[in-house]
Amino acid sequence: MAQTKMKKAVLYNENIKTVLEILSENPEGISGQAISEKLKVSRSAISKMVKNLEKLGYKFEVSKKKYKLIERPDIPFPWEIGEGGKDIIFFKEVDNTQEKAKELALKGKISPGTWVIAERQRSGKGRMGRRWESPEGNFYGSVFLKPDLPLKETVKISLIGGLAVWRTIKSYEITKSVKIKWPNDIFVISENSAKKLAGVLAESFGESEKIEFTICGIGVNINNSPLEIAICLKELVGEKYNLLTDFTRRFINTFKQTYEEFLKGKWLELKTEIEINMWRGKVKVMQGEKEFTGVCVGINPDGSMVLQRQDGGYENIFYGDTTIITSIPKSE
Ligand code: BTN
């Protein structure tokens, strides 16, 4: 991945990854000398690395010249993510990862497939100009892509992002009903409520009809549900060690695999998987002042939604704000 130096960015670092691995393999502690020999770097380089890790929230016990790793923070630093970490640029705080990724892409500082991930966002962006609440503890990431698609088919990227989130959530073997809502959300549905777990914001840029590049932003509630109508992964899986880091590790690799399937021409198979796992119930779609109510029955090959109206006719929905209609009692 083409990455140049960036202010305040935390990048993948093979030495840090190895030091942490060595420390985990030696829960009773290991001397700085032994680590430096394994890594073939000086002891002072090890001591500097440990100090930097302490600043990032890692906790060590240092005694008799031995280093013992006591605690890893639940922060998805690139070296915690495995192979996929090489594609991550991490920031503690940004306005939002969408704008940061766009800025870096336009300056040629990142290559396609690169993720910008932040621990928190000052002004997270949702769809339709809404705000995306972004406290610490949840996943906020935007990936820079160059899909070979017409601009109006950006919805396919949104759906692929949603499918990758859905596949990742399902890997936790959740018993509740988790559904993709066309075109961009993941909801947890029960008999009388629909709670939002994740949202996707795919923004494409290009001068002609063709996409020049897309920034696909994904927000997933992991430890916090910032709004009444939201739910977080922790509520579904219970207490789990370093859940945000664990989710990020699974998700980055799942997204890569899902997007590669798309690049290999498997859109129709992916579309079928989305259709099987999407909310196929009653929805209301707002297109400005225009309102459509009906049942979402599927997705067209171009990514648009097939809506069956109350009169039995069909409508193809290319854009809009979709709300799930469940039998929610008025008091909720
Ligand atoms: C929505 O459901 O309205 C889409 C929400 C998308 C939120 C993500 S969080 C990472 C990226 N940065 C942002 O500011 N927005 C997207």
Side-chain angles (χ1 to χ4, degrees):
M1 177 189 26
Q3 278 180 16
T4 45
K5 283 212 160 168
M6 276 163 255
K7 237 172 94 186
K8 293 187 183 156
V10 180
L11 304 181
Y12 181 87
N13 182 311
E14 192 68 42
N15 278 347
I16 292 184
K17 182 171 169 270
T18 313
V19 167
L20 290 169
E21 272 165 14
I22 295 172
L23 286 161
S24 302
E25 285 159 11
N26 292 277
E28 296 310 314
I30 179 166
S31 72
Q33 179 68 27
I35 305 176
S36 73
E37 277 165 19
K38 281 181 194 269
L39 243 72
K40 297 187 177 64
V41 297
S42 68
R43 278 189 60 184
S44 70
I46 300 296
S47 136
K48 204 168 147 198
M49 222 180 278
V50 167
K51 283 201 178 92
N52 283 337
L53 284 169
E54 275 176 335
K55 280 189 202 144
L56 293 175
Y58 290 80
K59 293 207 172 95
F60 300 91
E61 203 177 270
V62 188
S63 63
K64 290 190 208 140
K65 293 188 187 160
K66 268 190 172 181
Y67 291 107
K68 193 166 153 180
L69 179 62
I70 304 293
E71 203 180 302
R72 286 172 187 251
D74 188 13
I75 304 174
F77 293 119
W79 50 80
E80 297 282 358
I81 306 307
E83 263 307 290
K86 293 180 181 164
D87 297 330
I88 295 176
I89 298 178
F90 177 88
F91 292 88
K92 289 290 270 182
E93 187 176 89
V94 287
D95 280 344
N96 60 71
T97 56
Q98 284 301 97
E99 294 308 318
K100 195 69 185 172
K102 185 179 171 193
E103 175 199 319
L104 296 174
L106 288 172
K107 285 184 182 161
K109 290 197 171 188
I110 54 174
S111 54
T114 305
W115 281 90
V116 173
I117 290 182
E119 194 178 2
R120 51 184 179 269
Q121 304 187 111
R122 287 182 286 264
S123 44
K125 272 168 71 172
R127 283 180 88 238
M128 312 277 164
R130 285 192 283 258
R131 186 180 160 83
W132 185 260
E133 293 302 328
S134 309
E136 269 173 38
N138 293 341
F139 176 84
Y140 312 109
S142 299
V143 62
F144 165 47
L145 301 169
K146 270 179 160 292
D148 184 14
L149 285 178
L151 274 168
K152 62 178 184 351
E153 290 188 18
T154 295
V155 64
K156 289 184 179 173
I157 304 298
S158 179
L159 289 165
I160 282 163
L163 177 61
V165 177
W166 182 88
R167 284 176 168 181
T168 312
I169 299 293
K170 287 307 267 190
S171 73
Y172 287 94
E173 290 166 13
I174 286 160
T175 48
K176 289 207 168 155
S177 166
V178 180
K179 294 283 177 199
I180 300 167
K181 186 198 78 177
W182 184 95
N184 72 313
D185 291 324
I186 302 295
F187 270 81
V188 178
I189 316 267
S190 63
E191 207 186 316
N192 53 16
S193 77
K195 297 213 164 187
K196 184 157 167 169
L197 181 63
V200 183
L201 173 65
E203 297 180 293
S204 287
F205 306 89
E207 301 231 312
S208 60
E209 291 294 279
K210 206 180 155 316
I211 292 179
E212 201 180 304
F213 70 94
T214 301
I215 305 292
C216 181
I218 297 187
V220 187
N221 300 327
I222 305 291
N223 289 295
N224 306 300
S225 328
L227 300 171
E228 182 73 5
I229 49 128
I231 192 163
C232 67
L233 185 60
K234 192 172 155 186
E235 289 173 60
L236 302 173
V237 300
E239 281 299 332
K240 199 171 184 317
Y241 178 70
N242 282 5
L243 187 59
L244 174 58
T245 308
D246 183 73
F247 171 85
T248 308
R249 196 179 297 126
R250 295 185 196 208
F251 174 65
I252 295 298
N253 296 306
T254 303
F255 182 91
K256 192 171 182 173
Q257 182 205 319
T258 309
Y259 190 66
E260 271 167 15
E261 287 170 39
F262 175 67
L263 293 183
K264 283 185 192 146
K266 294 194 173 166
W267 161 246
L268 291 179
E269 285 97 317
L270 294 167
K271 177 182 101 66
T272 304
E273 188 179 338
I274 296 166
E275 283 178 309
I276 293 169
N277 298 300
M278 76 195 286
W279 170 254
R280 296 165 71 99
K282 221 173 160 191
V283 291
K284 182 175 87 183
V285 184
M286 296 300 299
Q287 288 182 346
E289 296 293 291
K290 240 164 131 186
E291 180 181 317
F292 300 90
T293 308
V295 175
C296 165
V297 289
I299 298 171
N300 288 307
D302 62 10
S304 59
M305 186 224 288
V306 185
L307 184 86
Q308 184 168 31
R309 294 190 309 260
Q310 271 142 336
D311 65 8
Y314 293 93
E315 204 80 53
N316 294 325
I317 306 288
F318 288 87
Y319 67 95
D321 204 13
T322 315
T323 315
I324 289 177
I325 304 175
T326 59
S327 48
I328 301 172
K330 287 227 157 53
S331 57
E332 268 205 21

